[in-house]
Amino acid sequence: MTSKCQSSDVLLQNLTAGTMMWEKNVSKSSQDSTGNNASCGSVSVFFPITMMITGMVGNSLAMLLVSSAYRKKENKRKKSFLLCIGSLALTDLFGQLLTSPIVISVYRADLKWKRVDPSGTLCAFFGVCMTTFGLCPLFLASAMAIERALAITAPHWYSHYMKTSVTKQVLVIIWCLVLIFALLPIAGVGKYTLQWPGTWCFISTGDKDVTGNTFFATTFAALGIFSLLVTLFCNVVTIRALVTRCKTKPSSTQSSKQWERLTTETVIQLMGIMCVLLTCWSPLLVLMLKMISTHTSSHQCNSAAVSLSPQDLQMDCNFFLTAIRLASLNQILDPWVYLLLREILLRKFCQVASAVSRCSLDAQKETRCRLDVLNKKAVQNDNVHKKSLNVENSNLNGGQAEQ
C-alpha cells in the first residue's frame, strides 16, 4: 500500500501544479474506496451531514408555513400552488431522510459499502431513492411552473377548471409514474451500481451489456432535461405576461402599485428558481449523457483495470461526484427558493427598493421646489427691474414733454 502511494506521488510530480493537486485528491479518494484510506487520505463526511441537517430544517419550515397558509380562508385561490410546494418539500424531506443516513453509515464504516450492505439489496434501494427523489422534484417544479403560467395567462380558465382535486390527482400521478420508472432496474431493465468513492449507488452509465441499461440511463437524463426546459419555458411565459400586464395598468391607482409589488416579487422568485434548477441539475444530466455516449461509469474508478485513460476517467468521476452533490443541493434550496425567500427576503428587497425610490422621489421634489423658488425670485426680480425701467422711461417722457 505504501509503494502504491509513493509511485502515485512520483507520477504526480511530473504534472503541473494545478493538475498535480487534482490527481492527488482523486487518487486518494479512489484508494480510500478500495480500503487504502489509512495512508492515502479520505473523503470528508462533512458534506452528507451538513446537507442532511440543512435540508431537514429548510423543508420542515416550508411544510409548517404551507400547512398554516393552506388552512386560511383567504388563500383559496393559492391552494393548488400551496399543495405543489408542500408536496415538493415533503418529497425533498423524504429524499434526505432515506439517503443521507446510509451515506453517513458508509463513511463510518471506512468507506466500505459491503460492511453496511453485504447482500447488495441496500444498493438497489438507494438507487431507487436517488432516481425517485431526483425526478420527482423536477416534475413537481414543472407542474408548478405550468400552474403559475395558466393562472397568469388564462385566469378565467384557471379559476373554472383548476381545482384542488385536479392538483392532487396530478401530484399522485407524478409520484406513481416516477416510482414505476425507478423500479425498472429491479425488474431487469437497467442497473444500479455502487458509484465512486463507494458511498452511494446510482444508475450505471457504462454497462452496455446489461439489458436496457443504456435505455434506462438515457431516459433518465432525457426526462430531466425535458422537465428543465418545460420549467424554463413556462417561467419565461409567466414573467412576460406579468410585465406586459403591469405596463398596461395605470400607475396612479392603489391596485396598480400593489400589482407592481407582486410582479416584482414573482419575477425575482421565478428568476431564482430558473438559476437554481440550471445550476443544480444541468451538470449531472449533461455529464450523464457524455458518460453514456462513451460507455463509462464512475464505479469504474474503483477498478484497477479500465478501458479509458486513467486521468480522463478520474476527472469524469470527480465531476460526477460534484454533479450529484449539486443535484442533492437542489433538495436543500427548493424550500428557500419557492417559499422561505419569498416570505423573508423578497419583501425586504421590495421595501428597500421602495425606500430608495421614495428617497429619490423626495430628492426630486425637493430639487423641484428649490428650482421653483429660484424661478419665482428670478421672475420677481425681472418684474421689479421692468417696473423700474418703466418708471424711468415715464420720467424721461414727462421731462421731454415739459421742455
Side-chain angles (χ1 to χ4, degrees), residues 83-127:
L83 277 174
C84 292
I85 294 181
S87 301
L88 179 63
L90 183 64
T91 303
D92 290 335
L93 181 62
F94 268 97
Q96 292 285 337
L97 291 175
L98 292 176
T99 57
S100 296
I102 299 175
V103 176
I104 295 171
S105 299
V106 176
Y107 273 100
R108 294 190 62 183
D110 295 329
L111 300 178
K112 295 180 180 178
W113 184 276
K114 289 185 178 180
R115 289 185 181 179
V116 180
D117 180 30
S119 62
T121 56
L122 190 60
C123 183
F125 171 78
F126 197 98

Side-chain angles (χ1 to χ4, degrees), residues 3 7 17 31 54 100 105 110 128 134 178 193 228 308 325 357 371:
S3 61
S7 62
Q31 289 167 354
T54 53
S100 296
S105 299
D110 295 329
V128 171
V178 172
T193 56
L228 281 180
L308 293 180
R325 284 175 174 170
S357 62
L371 290 174

Side-chain angles (χ1 to χ4, degrees), residues 1-3 5 9 28 31-32 35-42:
M1 180 172 61
T2 305
S3 61
C5 293
D9 292 337
K28 285 180 178 180
Q31 289 167 354
D32 291 341
N36 296 335
N37 59 317
S39 61
C40 294
S42 63

Side-chain angles (χ1 to χ4, degrees), residues 29-102:
S29 299
S30 178
Q31 289 167 354
D32 291 341
S33 62
T34 57
N36 296 335
N37 59 317
S39 61
C40 294
S42 63
V43 182
S44 176
V45 73
F46 172 78
F47 290 102
I49 293 177
T50 304
M51 294 175 74
M52 183 181 69
I53 294 174
T54 53
M56 290 175 61
V57 171
N59 287 294
S60 298
L61 286 175
M63 290 179 63
L64 289 175
L65 289 175
V66 168
S67 62
S68 62
Y70 188 80
R71 296 172 184 173
K72 294 180 181 180
K73 294 181 180 179
E74 58 269 18
N75 288 335
K76 287 184 178 180
R77 296 182 179 178
K78 299 179 182 179
K79 282 194 173 183
S80 295
F81 189 66
L82 291 174
L83 277 174
C84 292
I85 294 181
S87 301
L88 179 63
L90 183 64
T91 303
D92 290 335
L93 181 62
F94 268 97
Q96 292 285 337
L97 291 175
L98 292 176
T99 57
S100 296
I102 299 175

Side-chain angles (χ1 to χ4, degrees), residues 30 33 193-207 284 287 291-292 295-303 306 313-322 324:
S30 178
S33 62
T193 56
L194 186 65
Q195 306 291 326
W196 181 81
T199 57
W200 58 293
C201 291
F202 195 52
I203 301 170
S204 175
T205 56
D207 294 330
L284 176 63
L287 187 58
M291 296 180 77
I292 291 169
H295 301 291
T296 58
S297 181
S298 68
H299 76 273
Q300 294 174 350
C301 293
N302 299 328
S303 177
V306 292
L313 182 61
Q314 295 288 3
M315 288 180 65
D316 284 344
C317 292
N318 191 71
F319 284 142
F320 198 65
L321 181 62
T322 304
I324 201 67

Side-chain angles (χ1 to χ4, degrees), residues 167-179:
T167 305
K168 293 177 182 178
Q169 292 175 3
V170 171
L171 294 176
V172 172
I173 290 173
I174 289 175
W175 280 326
C176 292
L177 290 179
V178 172
L179 181 59

Side-chain angles (χ1 to χ4, degrees), residues 284-352:
L284 176 63
L285 299 175
V286 173
L287 187 58
M288 280 190 69
L289 292 177
K290 176 181 178 294
M291 296 180 77
I292 291 169
S293 63
T294 56
H295 301 291
T296 58
S297 181
S298 68
H299 76 273
Q300 294 174 350
C301 293
N302 299 328
S303 177
V306 292
S307 59
L308 293 180
S309 169
Q311 181 179 358
D312 295 336
L313 182 61
Q314 295 288 3
M315 288 180 65
D316 284 344
C317 292
N318 191 71
F319 284 142
F320 198 65
L321 181 62
T322 304
I324 201 67
R325 284 175 174 170
L326 282 175
S328 300
L329 186 64
N330 185 66
Q331 295 178 332
I332 301 172
L333 296 178
D334 274 341
W336 295 94
V337 173
Y338 281 98
L339 187 65
L340 299 178
L341 282 182
R342 183 181 180 90
E343 296 292 333
I344 299 172
L345 294 183
L346 288 181
R347 296 190 184 279
K348 293 293 182 183
F349 175 82
C350 292
Q351 289 175 3
V352 171

